[in-house]
C-alpha cells in the first residue's frame, strides 16, 4: 500500500513540476536567459512565490510530525491544484518558444529532478509496516518529491547556469559562422542603427528607401541582439544583397560594442539617447557611452556617422567624432526638416541638405518625431548619392511600423492608435501629441512605463500629468504598476470620474467600449508590458 501510494503521489507531483517548470522557463526566456536579471526579477516579484513557499513549509511541518496517508492524500490534491494554477496558458502575448536552448535546459532540469526522485526512491526502498492510518516511520521520500516541486524556481535558473559553458560554446560557433559569412561578402555595405528609441522605426524607414534602389536586407522585428543578428545573417543574407541594415539594441554597458564585433558596420545612425533601461544601465552616462560604441567602431573604419542633432545628450558627444552628419528640426543640423504640417491624414515637410538643396515630402506617418526618423533615412540615402527626387515616392509609401503609432480604424465609432511596443518617456510624450491631433473623444489606455530604475515613479508621475492635459478619459491597466500615473493625473485637478483602473487589457477595452460619447472615440494604446510584468 505504501509503495502504491508513493508512486501515485510522485506522478501527481511530477505533473506539477512540469507545469511549474515550464512557467519558470518562460519567465527566464523573457528575461533573456540572463540569470542575474532573472534573479532580480524574482526578487521584484517575490509575491508570486509566497504561496508555494507557505504550501511547502506547511507540508514539511506536517510531514515532520509523521502524518498518515489520509493527510498525504490532501497534500496530493494540493499539488494537483498547484499544477493546475501553473499550467501553460494561452493568455500570454509571447508564449514560451521551444528552441534548442530551451530543450537543453529542460533536459538538465529533468536530470536534476530525476536525481531528487532517485534519492526519494532509494530512501523509500526499505519495506515499512503501514496500515494506511498510522504515521509513516520514513518521510524522506515525500520530502524529496515535494522539494523537487517547490524548488523549481531555483532548479530552472540553476539548469541555465549549469548549461552556460555549453551555450557559450554553441553561441560562439554560430557567431563565428556569421562573421565568416559577412567576411566572404566584401562588397556588402553594412549600416548599424542604435538608439534608446526610434531605432526600429529608422530601420524600417531606411530599408523602404534603400530598397527602392538596392537589394537590401534588414534584421527583422526586434532581432537586435548578438544571436538575433547572427540568425539573420546565417538564415537570410544572400550573395545578391548590397546593403545590410543591422539594428543594435542594448540593456547593459558594452553590448553595442559586442554587436559591432559581429557586424563591423561601415556607417552608423544613432537615433536618440534617453532614459530607457536605466534599471540595467545604472546611469544616463552609461547609456550615452554605450550607444556611441557604434560611432567608435565606425570611426575607426572611416565610415560616416549620422546623428539626431535635436537630441541634447547626443550633441554632448557629437564633437568628438569626424565625418559626422546631423539631422533634425533645429537650425544647426546638416539635414534639416522645416515647414512641417501635421494632420490626422499624415505629414508634409521640406528637407534641406548641407548644400542648400531642398525638396518637399509627403508621408502617411503621424507626428513630428516620425519626421525626425524619416529625415535620418533620407539623409543617409542622400549621403550615398540618391537624389532627393528619387526618394519622394518611397517616402509616400512608408507604412507605420507595427505597434508604433499604427492607426487601426475598425470602422464605426472607434479608432485605435496602436503604440503598444515598449514605451519610454519621449515616446509617451510624442504619442500624446499625436492623440491631440484628433478632434474626437480622446482616450488613453496604458499600463505605464517600466525598466526606468530609481526614476520610474517620477517619470510615470510626469506621464500622468501630461496625460491629464491631452485625454478626455484615461484607463490604467494594473493598480500597483500605474499608481504613480494615477497620482500624477490627480495632482492636476483632473476629473477622476474619468479615470478607470482595470485589472487587465480585456477589462480596459471593455470599459473603453462602454463609454458613451457623441464624438468618434480615438483610443491610444500606449505600451504593452511583456508577460514577465
Amino acid at each position: 500500500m505504501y509503495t502504491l501510494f508513493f508512486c501515485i503521489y510522485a506522478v501527481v507531483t511530477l505533473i506539477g513540476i512540469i507545469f511549474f517548470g515550464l512557467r519558470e522557463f518562460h519567465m527566464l526566456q523573457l528575461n533573456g536567459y540572463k540569470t542575474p536579471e532573472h534573479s532580480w526579477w524574482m526578487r521584484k516579484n517575490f509575491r508570486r512565490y509566497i504561496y508555494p513557499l507557505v504550501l511547502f513549509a506547511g507540508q514539511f511541518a506536517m510531514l515532520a510530525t509523521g502524518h498518515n496517508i489520509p493527510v498525504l492524500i490532501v497534500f496530493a490534491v494540493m499539488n494537483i491544484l498547484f499544477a493546475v494554477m501553473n499550467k501553460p496558458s494561452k493568455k500570454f502575448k509571447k508564449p514560451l518558444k521551444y528552441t534548442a536552448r530551451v530543450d537543453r535546459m529542460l533536459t538538465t532540469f529533468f536530470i536534476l529532478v530525476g536525481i531528487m526522485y532517485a534519492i526519494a526512491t532509494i530512501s523509500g526502498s526499505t519495506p515499512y509496516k503501514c496500515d494506511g492510518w498510522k504515521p509513516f516511520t520514513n518521510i524522506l521520500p515525500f520530502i524529496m518529491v515535494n522539494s523537487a516541486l517547490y524548488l523549481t524556481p531555483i532548479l530552472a535558473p540553476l539548469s541555465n547556469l549549469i548549461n552556460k559553458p555549453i551555450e557559450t560554446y554553441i553561441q560562439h560557433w554560430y557567431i563565428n559562422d556569421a562573421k565568416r559569412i559577412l567576411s566572404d561578402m566584401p562588397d556588402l555595405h553594412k549600416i548599424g542603427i542604435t538608439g534608446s528609441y526610434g531605432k526600429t522605426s529608422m530601420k524600417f524607414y531606411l530599408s523602404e528607401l534603400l530598397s527602392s534602389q538596392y537589394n537590401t536586407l534588414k534584421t527583422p522585428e526586434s532581432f537586435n541582439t548578438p544571436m538575433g543578428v547572427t540568425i539573420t545573417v546565417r538564415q537570410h543574407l544572400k550573395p545578391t544583397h548590397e546593403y545590410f541594415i543591422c539594428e543594435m539594441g542594448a540593456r547593459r554597458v558594452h553590448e553595442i560594442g559586442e554587436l559591432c564585433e559581429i557586424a563591423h558596420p561601415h556607417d552608423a545612425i544613432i537615433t536618440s539617447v534617453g532614459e530607457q533601461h536605466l534599471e540595467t544601465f545604472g546611469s544616463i552616462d552609461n547609456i550615452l557611452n554605450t550607444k556611441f560604441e557604434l560611432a567608435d567602431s565606425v570611426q575607426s573604419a572611416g565610415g560616416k556617422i549620422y546623428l539626431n542633432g535635436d537630441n541634447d545628450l547626443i550633441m554632448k558627444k557629437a564633437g568628438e567624432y569626424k565625418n559626422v552628419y546631423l539631422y533634425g528640426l533645429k537650425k544647426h543640423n546638416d539635414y534639416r526638416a522645416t515647414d512641417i504640417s501635421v494632420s490626422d491624414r499624415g505629414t508634409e515637410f521640406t528637407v534641406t541638405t548641407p548644400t542648400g538643396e531642398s525638396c518637399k515630402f509627403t508621408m502617411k506617418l503621424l507626428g513630428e518625431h516620425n519626421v525626425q526618423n524619416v529625415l535620418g533615412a533620407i539623409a543617409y540615402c542622400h549621403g550615398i548619392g540618391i537624389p532627393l527626387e528619387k526618394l519622394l515616392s518611397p517616402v509616400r509609401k512608408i507604412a507605420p511600423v507595427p505597434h508604433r503609432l499604427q492607426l487601426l480604424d475598425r470602422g464605426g465609432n472607434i479608432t485605435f492608435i496602436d503604440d503598444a511596443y515598449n514605451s519610454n518617456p519621449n515616446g509617451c510624450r510624442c504619442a500624446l501629441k499625436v492623440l491631440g491631433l484628433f478632434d474626437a473623444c480622446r482616450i488613453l489606455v496604458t499600463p505605464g512605463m517600466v525598466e526606468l530604475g530609481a526614476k520610474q515613479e517620477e517619470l510615470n508621475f510626469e506621464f500622468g500629468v501630461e496625460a491629464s492635459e491631452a485625454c478626455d478619459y484615461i484607463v490604467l491597466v494594473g493598480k500597483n504598476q500605474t499608481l504613480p500615473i494615477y497620482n500624477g493625473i490627480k495632482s492636476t485637478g483632473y476629473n477622476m470620474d474619468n479615470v478607470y483602473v482595470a485589472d487587465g487589457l480585456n477589462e480596459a477595452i471593455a470599459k473603453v467600449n462602454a463609454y458613451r460619447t457623441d464624438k468618434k472615440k480615438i483610443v491610444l494604446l500606449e505600451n504593452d508590458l511583456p508577460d514577465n510584468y
Side-chain angles (χ1 to χ4, degrees), residues 236-256:
H236 303 291
L237 187 62
K238 308 297 181 187
T240 53
H241 282 123
E242 299 168 279
Y243 278 84
F244 175 42
I245 304 172
C246 182
E247 180 184 347
M248 298 181 171
R251 300 178 71 169
R252 292 173 183 78
V253 175
H254 302 315
E255 287 187 346
I256 297 297

Side-chain angles (χ1 to χ4, degrees), residues 91 139 182 184 203 228 265 304 360 371 377 408 511:
K91 72 176 183 178
I139 62 169
L182 289 170
D184 288 343
K203 173 185 68 178
K304 296 178 180 179
K360 189 171 185 178
V371 173
L408 304 174
K511 183 64 178 178

Side-chain angles (χ1 to χ4, degrees), residues 193-334:
I193 299 177
T194 192
S196 296
Y197 42 86
K199 56 184 177 292
T200 302
S201 297
M202 174 67 77
K203 173 185 68 178
F204 274 90
Y205 303 158
L206 181 58
S207 174
E208 185 76 27
L209 302 191
L210 279 178
S211 295
S212 67
Q213 304 291 323
Y214 301 100
N215 193 343
T216 304
L217 173 69
K218 67 178 183 296
T219 50
E221 299 175 346
S222 292
F223 277 45
N224 55 21
T225 64
M227 289 311 296
V229 173
T230 297
I231 290 170
T232 303
V233 170
R234 295 185 70 249
Q235 295 185 358
H236 303 291
L237 187 62
K238 308 297 181 187
T240 53
H241 282 123
E242 299 168 279
Y243 278 84
F244 175 42
I245 304 172
C246 182
E247 180 184 347
M248 298 181 171
R251 300 178 71 169
R252 292 173 183 78
V253 175
H254 302 315
E255 287 187 346
I256 297 297
E258 293 175 17
L259 286 160
C260 289
E261 284 298 312
I262 298 172
H264 295 289
H266 297 98
D267 299 321
I269 302 175
I270 301 179
T271 62
S272 60
V273 175
E275 296 164 317
Q276 194 170 30
H277 302 312
L278 267 174
E279 212 153 47
T280 48
F281 273 112
S283 71
I284 196 70
D285 285 337
N286 285 342
I287 297 174
L288 178 63
N289 292 329
T290 299
K291 298 303 180 187
F292 269 84
E293 288 172 1
L294 173 57
D296 294 333
S297 175
V298 165
Q299 179 159 269
S300 64
K304 296 178 180 179
I305 302 170
Y306 291 81
L307 304 176
N308 179 356
D310 292 347
N311 186 284
D312 293 337
L313 289 168
I314 285 178
M315 291 305 296
K316 284 175 61 176
K317 286 190 68 83
E320 301 176 16
Y321 298 87
K322 299 177 181 178
N323 222 7
V324 169
Y325 295 85
L326 302 177
Y327 66 88
L329 280 55
K330 296 180 180 178
K331 288 184 178 180
H332 65 265
N333 289 293
D334 301 301

Side-chain angles (χ1 to χ4, degrees), residues 320-395:
E320 301 176 16
Y321 298 87
K322 299 177 181 178
N323 222 7
V324 169
Y325 295 85
L326 302 177
Y327 66 88
L329 280 55
K330 296 180 180 178
K331 288 184 178 180
H332 65 265
N333 289 293
D334 301 301
Y335 286 89
R336 187 182 174 206
T338 57
D339 304 325
I340 301 171
S341 174
V342 182
S343 70
D344 57 0
R345 295 181 300 276
T347 308
E348 291 184 351
F349 59 99
T350 299
V351 172
T352 304
T353 70
T355 60
E357 179 187 2
S358 65
C359 190
K360 189 171 185 178
F361 288 85
T362 302
M363 65 180 184
K364 293 178 285 187
L365 303 177
L366 304 174
E368 285 189 359
H369 68 290
N370 273 323
V371 173
Q372 276 187 334
N373 286 329
V374 173
L375 175 62
I378 292 172
Y380 182 85
C381 291
H382 184 264
I384 63 171
I386 302 177
L388 293 181
E389 290 75 14
K390 286 193 174 183
L391 297 173
L392 288 171
S393 179
V395 168

Side-chain angles (χ1 to χ4, degrees), residues 124-185:
S125 60
T126 306
Y128 296 96
K129 293 180 180 180
C130 177
D131 64 5
W133 297 97
K134 293 180 180 179
F136 295 140
T137 56
N138 184 0
I139 62 169
L140 182 59
F142 295 95
I143 291 176
M144 292 305 299
V145 168
N146 257 20
S147 295
L149 173 61
Y150 295 110
L151 292 179
T152 291
I154 296 174
L155 295 179
L158 179 60
S159 302
N160 187 41
L161 279 175
I162 292 172
N163 284 13
K164 189 172 182 179
I166 299 172
E167 299 303 332
T168 300
Y169 174 81
I170 293 171
Q171 287 183 11
H172 283 171
W173 190 91
Y174 284 129
I175 288 172
N176 287 334
D177 190 50
K179 289 180 178 179
R180 177 192 60 78
I181 293 171
L182 289 170
S183 65
D184 288 343
M185 298 180 63

Side-chain angles (χ1 to χ4, degrees), residues 30 120 193 305 337 414 442:
L30 291 174
I193 299 177
I305 302 170
I414 189 167
R442 295 167 293 190

